[in-house]
Amino acid sequence: ALATAASAATPAQAAVVLPATTPESLGALLVPAPDGSDAEEEGAEPVLAPYPGPDGIRPGIRQDGRPFQLYRNDTVDSLIRFLVDRRNDVLERGWRRSGRYLPMIRRIFRAEGVPEVLGYLAAVESNFNPHARSPARAVGMWQFTAPTAKLFGLRRMGSWYDERLDPEASTHAAARLLGYLYDRYESWELALAAYNAGEARVNAALERARRRGETEDYWRLRLPRQTRGFVPSFLAVATIMESPQDYGL
């Protein structure tokens, strides 16, 4: 069964071991910590593409709009209850902060051809904190590591200039990364899994499923434990923030 928040590590533990989340991020509260069986889980890079030059990877707009539909299941519902009942303070802090950034995120995602609802991923990654830093050296609202940031056109100059900390520049890069991953998999669940665990790990899970004649559906793939919790965590956060009045925000 998929792990839920009730069986995850405590927030303090999760903040230490999760490579893609910061201590106050909603992801650090929701996404299960590695359980020891995923020895290579930390330090994943989402993209296998070669360096395209200083402008970075730019997937562009697709005619179908890369459609996304929010949905719920038992795992998502349990995470919603956990957030609303036990971590409402962190949820409220992120919601207040989002008012400053969501209009910009929606505008950029629309311009880059990515569904606007995916902007709530910033809550899972950093709770809309553009200065967030993780133990794995991921930086900014979207928690880019340096190699992935370079692939998507974010610039760094020594220790004094880092576009991962620029909300607008990093949001353009996040939209392009998400668009690139969706174009690879034609599935938002798999794209988000690759955002968390890396393209190589998702590809390996898909290949293993094909060899065994198993489904390639995200919910049944043999992915790292942390990644199995990432998509339901996003769905829970997005559901709450799409209808904040229904959850006391």
Side-chain angles (χ1 to χ4, degrees):
L2 290 172
T4 65
S7 63
T10 65
Q13 291 171 322
V16 173
V17 298
L18 289 177
T21 52
T22 59
E24 76 152 10
S25 76
L26 295 174
L29 299 176
L30 294 176
V31 180
D35 60 4
S37 63
D38 305 318
E40 298 181 359
E41 187 166 351
E42 190 164 340
E45 293 299 337
V47 175
L48 296 175
Y51 178 57
D55 289 339
I57 296 170
R58 299 188 177 217
I61 294 174
R62 280 179 33 162
Q63 190 172 8
D64 66 358
R66 301 185 180 96
F68 180 91
Q69 182 66 48
L70 270 180
Y71 62 91
R72 296 168 65 162
N73 56 27
D74 290 345
T75 303
V76 174
D77 285 343
S78 73
L79 294 172
I80 290 172
R81 289 193 298 271
F82 174 80
L83 275 177
V84 172
D85 295 342
R86 298 176 58 186
R87 291 296 180 267
N88 191 255
D89 55 337
V90 180
L91 189 62
E92 285 186 351
R93 187 157 58 248
W95 177 245
R96 288 196 302 270
R97 192 181 286 144
S98 74
R100 180 175 182 181
Y101 296 108
L102 270 178
M104 175 269 294
I105 292 170
R106 288 169 175 152
R107 168 176 54 82
I108 290 174
F109 275 35
R110 190 163 56 247
E112 296 283 356
V114 173
E116 296 174 34
V117 70
L118 288 164
Y120 298 122
L121 186 62
V124 178
E125 290 294 328
S126 69
N127 220 11
F128 293 100
N129 179 3
H131 305 293
R133 296 176 183 271
S134 82
R137 301 179 184 174
V139 171
M141 187 184 301
W142 301 99
Q143 291 292 278
F144 275 100
T145 58
T148 305
K150 185 177 180 181
L151 280 175
F152 288 86
L154 294 178
R155 296 170 296 171
R156 297 177 68 209
M157 298 179 187
S159 60
W160 59 273
Y161 183 77
D162 189 339
E163 280 191 326
R164 293 179 295 173
L165 297 168
D166 181 317
E168 290 220 18
S170 65
T171 297
H172 275 289
R176 292 167 187 165
L177 170 55
L178 288 165
Y180 165 87
L181 291 170
Y182 180 82
D183 292 350
R184 293 282 291 162
Y185 298 109
E186 298 292 326
S187 159
W188 278 117
E189 290 89 347
L190 295 178
L192 290 168
Y195 193 106
N196 175 254
E199 205 177 326
R201 290 195 183 100
V202 172
N203 291 349
L206 289 169
E207 179 59 31
R208 186 162 51 243
R210 293 179 191 123
R211 288 198 310 268
R212 297 178 178 182
E214 298 172 347
T215 178
E216 296 178 26
D217 176 51
Y218 161 82
W219 296 96
R220 296 186 179 277
L221 281 180
R222 298 170 185 244
L223 291 162
R225 182 170 180 255
Q226 186 187 103
T227 308
R228 294 199 306 271
F230 190 76
V231 171
S233 295
F234 166 74
L235 292 170
V237 170
T239 297
I240 292 170
M241 291 193 171
E242 275 286 272
S243 302
Q245 67 282 354
D246 293 342
Y247 300 98
L249 295 180

